[in-house]
Amino acid sequence: MPVPAQHVTHVYALLAGLDHPSKPDSPLPGGTQGADPGGKWPKREWTVEDFKALIATKLPSVQRVAALLDLLAADPGRSFSTTAVVARLDCDRSRLKGALSAFTRHVHAHYDRGNWPMQFVWGTDPDSDFEAEAFYRLDESNAASWKAARATEV
């Protein structure tokens, strides 16, 4: 059945989810999205002020995630596979995975929250050799807040 190009990754993710079901808040390999199985960290909305503080953080891992947020904010709602992300950010998977792991710790320590600003789901990328991988996206609201924070940089 023909699928519009902008929906292909969503269809792949849906199909992969049939073979690899997961609970929405369960830790996932390759990134935990700030997972908090014990419920220690609250989930909070990300604000422009939160994003300004994030942008000002000079830790390499946080700056790598900031580059990911730049990519995602440029096309809100679109899902990017890990394969696409590492190609566009010119980094390898292990660096991205390490940055996301460090980012989770940073979010817990400095923002007292358990959620990332971006979402991810598992899916299949036809341009990848991986059976399943994370697809990252930023919703319209967080994309607008991220862009507003970037616009105020000095």
Side-chain angles (χ1 to χ4, degrees), residues 15-151:
L15 293 173
L18 296 174
D19 292 330
H20 305 287
S22 66
K23 296 180 181 123
D25 292 326
S26 65
L28 299 171
T32 61
Q33 196 169 350
D36 181 22
K40 178 179 178 183
W41 305 102
K43 291 185 178 181
R44 294 194 176 114
E45 293 297 316
W46 284 81
T47 66
V48 172
E49 292 306 313
D50 293 332
F51 285 134
K52 285 180 184 179
L54 191 74
I55 290 165
T57 303
K58 299 305 177 197
L59 294 170
S61 59
V62 173
Q63 288 304 303
R64 187 160 283 119
V65 173
L68 171 61
L69 291 171
D70 286 336
L71 170 68
L72 300 177
D75 200 352
R78 178 177 173 196
S79 294
F80 290 85
S81 69
T82 302
T83 297
V85 168
V86 297
R88 291 186 178 170
L89 297 184
D90 194 28
C91 73
D92 60 38
R93 287 174 181 272
S94 62
R95 284 185 189 242
L96 179 62
K97 182 178 179 179
L100 291 169
S101 178
F103 182 66
T104 297
R105 292 187 302 276
H106 182 78
V107 165
H108 290 169
H110 299 282
Y111 296 89
D112 190 36
R113 66 176 52 172
N115 57 301
W116 287 350
M118 65 279 194
Q119 301 82 39
F120 81 77
V121 296
W122 284 104
T124 303
D125 183 338
D127 298 323
S128 171
D129 294 331
F130 291 86
E131 183 178 320
E133 60 185 287
F135 281 73
Y136 302 90
R137 74 177 180 81
L138 197 60
D139 64 29
E140 294 280 345
S141 175
N142 279 342
S145 294
W146 179 257
K147 290 175 187 177
R150 276 289 196 207

